[in-house]
Amino acid sequence: MWQIAIVLIIYLPFVILAGHYLYRVTMQQKTWFDPVLNRVDHFIYKLSGIKQVDMTGKQYILALILSNALMVFIGYFLLRIQSALFLNPNDIDNMEATLSFNTIISFMTNTNLQHYSGESGLSYLAQMLVITFMMFTSAATGYAACMAFCRRLVAKTDTLGNFFVDFVRVITRILMPISIVVAIFLVSEGSPQTFSANETVETIEGKVQDIALGPIASLESIKHIGTNGGGFNGANSTTPFENPTVISNVVEMLSMMLLPGACVVAFGLMVANRNKKIIFGKQGLAIFAAMSILLLIGVVTCYVAERSGNPIINELGITQELGSMEGKEMRFGVAQSALFTVVTTAFTTGSVNNMHDTLTPIGGLVAMFNMMINVVFGGKGVGLMNMMMYVLLTIFIACLMIGRTPQFLGKKIGEKEMKLIALCILIHPAIILLFSALAVATIAGVAGITNPGAHGLSQVLYEFASSSANNGSGFEGLADNSTFWNVSTGLAMFFGRYLTIIIQIAIASLLAKKMWHSDSVGSLKTDNAMFTFLLVTIVLMIGALTFLPVLALGPITEHLQISS
């Protein structure tokens, strides 16, 4: 446990510093890098014809959707002709149509679900020009939407800023600098960064093996910084070239935790009184604490489950002193594997350093439930937006209980907002459950299930939970490179990403246009420990009511079967 505690302790000061920096970037205040980066930004604006004018909510969403759509079309075209382009030393063929559809939707929605093996499915050019490029742009899209959402909540006007300006500033001031630093560190640890073709070597056992090379370190850095998760190699961050050492493992975990947590800190600073210097705004602290409690519950549960081992293996007389080590790397062990599992599903990154299909049923349940509630910090930007829906719902429920008018940041929460909040919260479970039902009810869906019974259902639930939450990790026991699975998960990723963003911006817009009311003695406090407790309770209650029946048929049944 001490390994887990050290990582979490290191995380706190870094996330606060990053949050203050994100706040300054978001509010377009001065930073140390402005003298250089202002020139870079203005060159991009001039080259692209970007006019730095404020947008309304409709204009902001339209700019977001159209820019993402254009990148989807270009990326799809490149995947379909990659064999004819340069930087393809391993002679990788063009990607099949439905797989190209799934891949391009996956990376544009910040999901990075992979139904292909990276080292054998993509050329170096496609890895950089499509995959790595979209890791930057999808992360920037999510963060831009989140900060526009936050600005709208605290604003008194009908403008959110400019999407293209936010988009560019996130890349040049946040994603690019941090990614360069992390990439250099990974190279120093042993990750390749080369255009050389794969090396064929003879192993010590006398076998012949291909060693996959390529521009791996540059992809790995933004993969975690942008909460993307797609691996250069099929085995993702379990491979020594993607994740060489225990130190690189810690850095990769901190990388994917950094910006989602910093978004909450930045929001707290936006809400707080900026006339005095503060470290952490009280409103942001209440939300951060709720997310942290949910994270710690998941970490402890997963660690205990994996440390306890598999009862069936115990019955075979095989020692499990190290815990359940099936599917895990010896250099990471149970502690760092369990922490990585919870972090990658809580922060919706999708990177894996162990095989999730071999987790104990309870360990797999924790990973699955993180994606089902999708608010334990979540992906870069969108995690905070999802949690804000639960914040508003908690306020509404609590105020009904005490007979007060629901109000947040001086704005009354009315009938129209509550309908949209309910719709936004229900979209995510609807996508997971409806697509899962379709998969187990059709021949094409069942054909991909490789395990019988409860574990087979868990594979299906995990796949669609990962898709809808824009996470991208998988149990990997599923035979998912088929027309059914490529199209169905592609649609789940698309709807899970864009429908919620559109509704959330609409909710913030409705609240921004309302008259501001000062808090009174009878107003519900939303920045104290009691509200944090209420928020955690509501999240767990809604998650349990929504998903407990289907979880009982999957991982819970499997746990009872192997424990009996």
Side-chain angles (χ1 to χ4, degrees):
M1 283 292 283
W2 63 268
Q3 296 182 52
I4 295 174
I6 289 174
V7 173
L8 297 179
I9 291 170
I10 293 173
Y11 171 62
L12 283 176
F14 277 104
V15 76
I16 292 173
L17 289 173
H20 280 256
Y21 179 67
L22 283 181
Y23 170 79
R24 301 188 71 84
V25 172
T26 300
M27 304 306 289
Q28 298 193 14
Q29 297 183 358
K30 290 183 178 179
T31 68
W32 292 341
F33 307 108
D34 284 351
V36 174
L37 294 180
N38 279 341
R39 296 180 181 180
V40 175
D41 291 352
H42 289 143
F43 173 76
I44 295 172
Y45 301 151
K46 186 176 181 180
L47 184 66
S48 306
I50 296 173
K51 296 180 180 179
Q52 301 178 59
V53 295
D54 285 339
M55 295 178 173
T56 63
K58 291 181 179 179
Q59 291 172 333
Y60 201 97
I61 287 296
L62 187 62
L64 186 155
I65 296 295
L66 290 179
S67 61
N68 278 215
L70 180 60
M71 286 184 278
V72 163
F73 287 125
I74 295 173
Y76 179 85
F77 177 72
L78 290 174
L79 292 179
R80 297 289 287 141
I81 64 167
Q82 65 175 349
S83 65
L85 302 176
F86 55 97
L87 287 180
N88 187 16
N90 300 315
D91 295 322
I92 306 295
D93 201 1
N94 297 330
M95 189 173 278
E96 184 267 333
T98 62
L99 183 56
S100 295
F101 166 78
N102 182 276
T103 301
I104 207 65
I105 293 295
S106 177
F107 283 87
M108 192 65 260
T109 57
N110 202 234
T111 310
N112 306 92
L113 185 74
Q114 293 175 286
H115 288 178
Y116 64 92
S117 185
E119 63 266 52
S120 61
L122 292 174
S123 67
Y124 292 169
L125 183 69
Q127 290 276 24
M128 293 186 297
L129 203 56
V130 178
I131 304 305
T132 306
F133 171 77
M134 286 195 169
M135 285 181 173
F136 279 98
T137 57
S138 63
T141 297
Y143 179 77
C146 176
M147 290 299 103
F149 173 86
C150 294
R151 284 197 299 259
R152 178 59 67 91
L153 282 182
V154 300
K156 298 179 181 179
T157 64
D158 188 36
T159 58
L160 295 96
N162 185 292
F163 169 75
F164 298 112
V165 172
D166 291 339
F167 183 82
V168 170
R169 286 174 63 85
V170 169
I171 293 175
T172 59
R173 285 169 163 72
I174 301 170
L175 298 179
M176 191 67 74
I178 301 176
S179 295
I180 291 173
V181 172
V182 174
I184 293 172
F185 168 79
L186 289 176
V187 169
S188 71
E189 289 293 290
S191 290
Q193 184 67 20
T194 177
F195 291 143
S196 300
N198 294 349
E199 293 282 350
T200 301
V201 299
E202 184 176 341
T203 67
I204 57 176
E205 297 176 337
K207 304 286 182 68
V208 175
Q209 180 179 344
D210 286 336
I211 305 296
L213 301 176
I216 296 176
S218 57
L219 184 146
E220 282 299 299
S221 59
I222 185 58
K223 157 184 164 179
H224 293 102
I225 291 296
T227 63
N228 292 287
F232 191 98
N233 300 310
N236 212 282
S237 285
T238 60
T239 60
F241 280 174
E242 288 200 22
N243 192 3
T245 65
V246 172
I247 301 299
S248 71
N249 192 62
V250 171
V251 169
E252 289 184 4
M253 283 191 286
L254 292 174
S255 295
M256 53 180 148
M257 296 166 70
L258 182 65
L259 295 179
C263 287
V264 183
V265 178
F267 173 70
L269 296 176
M270 292 170 70
V271 174
N273 180 7
R274 297 299 293 157
N275 292 328
K276 56 182 180 180
K277 291 185 178 181
I278 58 174
I279 296 176
F280 212 136
K282 291 179 66 177
Q283 184 65 67
L285 182 59
I287 297 172
F288 190 91
M291 291 178 168
S292 298
I293 291 170
L294 293 168
L295 178 69
L296 289 174
I297 292 173
V299 169
V300 172
T301 304
C302 186
Y303 174 76
V304 171
E306 298 305 311
R307 192 70 184 82
S308 300
N310 189 324
I312 294 178
I313 295 179
N314 280 332
E315 291 177 3
L316 296 174
I318 300 173
T319 180
Q320 294 190 87
E321 292 180 0
L322 298 178
S324 178
M325 286 300 295
E326 182 186 4
K328 297 179 177 66
E329 290 288 302
M330 284 297 296
R331 67 187 191 277
F332 300 142
V334 164
Q336 292 212 31
S337 296
L339 180 59
F340 203 104
T341 296
V342 176
V343 167
T344 194
T345 51
F347 292 81
T348 64
T349 305
S351 176
V352 295
N353 77 344
N354 65 93
M355 180 62 74
H356 287 194
D357 195 41
T358 62
L359 291 169
T360 61
I362 299 302
L365 186 150
V366 170
M368 206 180 302
F369 193 69
N370 280 340
M371 297 183 293
M372 286 175 169
I373 58 177
N374 202 23
V375 296
V376 190
F377 288 102
K380 189 168 178 295
V382 294
L384 174 59
M385 294 169 71
N386 292 336
M387 179 56 100
M388 290 306 301
M389 298 299 100
Y390 282 91
V391 168
L392 297 174
L393 177 63
T394 301
I395 293 170
F396 183 78
I397 293 173
C399 287
L400 285 180
M401 295 171 66
I402 62 176
R404 302 292 181 185
T405 301
Q407 176 176 310
F408 182 61
L409 301 181
K411 305 296 177 68
K412 303 290 185 184
I413 304 171
E415 178 185 356
K416 186 178 292 186
E417 292 83 36
M418 281 311 304
K419 288 180 178 178
L420 289 176
I421 290 167
L423 178 62
C424 190
I425 290 174
L426 290 174
I427 282 174
H428 179 58
I431 292 172
I432 297 171
L433 298 177
L434 290 176
F435 274 111
S436 295
L438 180 65
V440 298
T442 58
I443 296 174
V446 172
I449 302 173
T450 60
N451 281 275
H455 193 81
L457 179 60
S458 294
Q459 288 180 325
V460 174
L461 288 173
Y462 195 104
E463 186 77 0
F464 285 115
S466 179
S467 299
S468 182
N470 301 133
N471 179 270
S473 63
F475 259 26
E476 303 308 340
L478 203 67
D480 48 23
N481 186 12
S482 67
T483 299
F484 173 85
W485 288 101
N486 286 336
V487 173
S488 62
T489 54
L491 293 174
M493 290 184 283
F494 178 83
F495 293 129
R497 173 75 161 184
Y498 295 109
L499 286 182
T500 52
I501 286 179
I502 291 170
I503 295 172
Q504 287 159 351
I505 294 294
I507 292 168
S509 298
L510 289 172
L511 291 174
K513 295 175 183 177
K514 291 195 170 186
M515 184 180 298
W516 183 84
H517 300 271
S518 59
D519 289 335
S520 64
V521 176
S523 298
L524 177 70
K525 296 291 185 182
T526 62
D527 58 0
N528 56 19
M530 177 58 72
F531 183 77
T532 296
F533 172 77
L534 287 174
L535 181 57
V536 171
T537 303
I538 291 296
V539 169
L540 292 176
M541 184 175 66
I542 296 295
L545 289 173
T546 307
F547 293 109
L548 186 57
V550 73
L551 289 173
L553 296 174
I556 295 176
T557 294
E558 186 182 1
H559 173 71
L560 295 174
Q561 287 174 339
I562 68 173
S563 300
S564 59

